[in-house]
Each structure stands twice: as structure tokens, then as C-alpha cells.
């Protein structure tokens, strides 16, 4: 099993550009989520999904869109990048959305917006 | 408002000694707590968890203690090893909230020889 994979590992964007961060998992997990990590802030939840076709907002959703058309994939879209979105982005998955359970994290995407 | 707080940004411990990492929370709805370990340029990895129905959970060298009345938990690592040097995040969630984790800001542990 590859676990949770994320692409790209690094990305530099100009203000106003759009892009999609890819996330895939091969563990047949129902629950997937996106976090961002900023210095001194820990990890903050952006969006999450409890299954294909179901998504919801987390703590910091503004400027990001998600969709979940399959169990395996959960892409994160930046519609118009801003310097405030410079961060490290982590995708995570877990086997149950109803009960607390361990989440498995991908290796992260480091995004810089100029 | 930071609902999960790790007030010590860093901690240095000698190899073989005990490392104690602390975490406080303010949300009374949190009933499940997790510790994650993170190395540079990698994603966080799960270390140990505890449900609010327990006050202690042990896994090898790692023990987590939960004091619900004080809204405080701690992670003990005994004995500490150089490979334990990493950033440790405390996280909390509530049953029925789709495993949405609220993270603390992390504590960087350095285990010295």
C-alpha cells in the first residue's frame, strides 16, 4: 500500500493563479481531509469529506474548493492564489468518519504564492 | 481562540531520561485525544491516543495521561532516544464530529546524547 500520496511536493504560484493539489489514498478510507500548517499555528482543517459525494468546511475554508467523486481521490483547488495561502498542505484519511480514529497523513505539499 | 494549547514550543532532554510533553484544551466537548509525531519534510504520524473514559494509555515507551477535570493531557516518553527528536502535536476531537481534529501548535523535542 502506498498510503496517502500527494502531488506536487513543491509549487510556486503567482498571485491570482489557480491550481489543484492532488491527494489519493489506497486504503479504502471513507474519511479524507485537508489541513494547512503555518509557523506557530499547528495544523488547521480546511475541508473534509466523510465519503464520495459528501464534503464540508473546516476551520479555514475560504479560498479553497474540494470535491470527492471517488473514494480514493480528494483534490484541493485554489481558485485565485493569494500570498496568505503560502503554507504546507497535508491531506489525511481515516477509516471511519463517525467515531474518532487515527488519521493517516500524506507527505505534504509546500506551496509558495508570490 | 486556540482550543488546544501546547505552551512549550521546545524541550531538550538527555538520552535515557524521561520526556514530558504537555497539552491543555478548553473545549469540554472534546472526548478523544491523539498525539502525532512529525519529522521535517514529512507528514505527521500517529503515536498514541486516549479516550475520555480512560485516564491513562500506554504503548511501549509512550504513555499518555488525561486529567479531565484540569483539561490537561501529557505524553511521557521513557526512556528518551535520539530518534524521538521531532515535533509533537497534540490533537483533540469529539465523537460524532467526523474525526475533525483540532491541533495544538506543537512542541519540538530534542533528545541529546
Amino acid at each position: 500500500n502506498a498510503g496517502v500520496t500527494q502531488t506536487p511536493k513543491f509549487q510556486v504560484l503567482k498571485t491570482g493563479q489557480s491550481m489543484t493539489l492532488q491527494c489519493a489514498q489506497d486504503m479504502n478510507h471513507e474519511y479524507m481531509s485537508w489541513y494547512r500548517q503555518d509557523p506557530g499555528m499547528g495544523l488547521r482543517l480546511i475541508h473534509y469529506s466523510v465519503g464520495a459525494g459528501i464534503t464540508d468546511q473546516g476551520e479555514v475554508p475560504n479560498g479553497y474548493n474540494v470535491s470527492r467523486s471517488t473514494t480514493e481521490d480528494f483534490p484541493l483547488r485554489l481558485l485565485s492564489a493569494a500570498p496568505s495561502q503560502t503554507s504546507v498542505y497535508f491531506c489525511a484519511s481515516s477509516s471511519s468518519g463517525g467515531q474518532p480514529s487515527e488519521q493517516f497523513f500524506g507527505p505534504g505539499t509546500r506551496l509558495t504564492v508570490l | 481562540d486556540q482550543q488546544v494549547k501546547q505552551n512549550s514550543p521546545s524541550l531538550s532532554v538527555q538520552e535515557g531520561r524521561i520526556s514530558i510533553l504537555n497539552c491543555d484544551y478548553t473545549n469540554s466537548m472534546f472526548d478523544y485525544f491523539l498525539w502525532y509525531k512529525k519529522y521535517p519534510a514529512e507528514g505527521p504520524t500517529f503515536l498514541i491516543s486516549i479516550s475520555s473514559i480512560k485516564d491513562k494509555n500506554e504503548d511501549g515507551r509512550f504513555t499518555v495521561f488525561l486529567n479531565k477535570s484540569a483539561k490537561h493531557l501529557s505524553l511521557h516518553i521513557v526512556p528518551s532516544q535520539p530518534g524521538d527528536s521531532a515535533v509533537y502535536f497534540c490533537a483533540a476531537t469529539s465523537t460524532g464530529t467526523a474525526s475533525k481534529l483540532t491541533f495544538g501548535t506543537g512542541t519540538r523535542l530534542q533528545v541529546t546524547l
Side-chain angles (χ1 to χ4, degrees), chain A residues 22-33:
Chain A
Q22 302 292 344
C23 173
Q25 53 91 9
D26 61 359
M27 298 173 280
N28 201 31
H29 283 168
E30 302 161 359
Y31 180 75
M32 296 186 73
S33 55

Side-chain angles (χ1 to χ4, degrees), chain A residues 16-94:
Chain A
Q17 288 185 314
S18 62
M19 79 159 296
T20 299
L21 280 63
Q22 302 292 344
C23 173
Q25 53 91 9
D26 61 359
M27 298 173 280
N28 201 31
H29 283 168
E30 302 161 359
Y31 180 75
M32 296 186 73
S33 55
W34 278 101
Y35 293 86
R36 59 179 287 175
Q37 185 191 8
D38 301 296
M41 301 286 289
L43 283 81
R44 292 181 293 168
L45 182 64
I46 304 171
H47 285 285
Y48 66 98
S49 168
V50 299
I54 306 170
T55 64
D56 205 347
Q57 296 181 351
E59 181 185 354
V60 287
N62 292 341
Y64 307 95
N65 273 1
V66 292
S67 60
R68 184 98 180 268
S69 56
T70 67
T71 300
E72 295 78 21
D73 300 297
F74 191 43
L76 178 72
R77 280 182 283 276
L78 281 70
L79 305 175
S80 178
S84 61
Q85 294 178 304
T86 294
S87 188
V88 181
Y89 291 85
F90 292 101
C91 179
S93 74
S94 64

Side-chain angles (χ1 to χ4, degrees), chain B residues 24-73:
Chain B
D24 297 292
Y25 62 97
T26 58
N27 189 336
S28 301
M29 299 302 293
F30 290 148
D31 59 5
Y32 196 82
F33 305 89
L34 308 91
W35 284 93
Y36 280 84
K37 176 179 180 180
K38 186 182 180 306
Y39 292 117
E42 295 184 10
T45 55
F46 171 75
L47 199 55
I48 192 169
S49 63
I50 188 167
S51 164
S52 61
I53 62 173
K54 296 185 176 181
D55 55 17
K56 177 182 173 181
N57 189 28
E58 198 169 351
D59 184 0
R61 297 186 296 115
F62 302 92
T63 303
V64 56
F65 296 91
L66 175 62
N67 182 334
K68 289 186 290 293
S69 61
K71 293 190 176 67
H72 176 83
L73 61 156

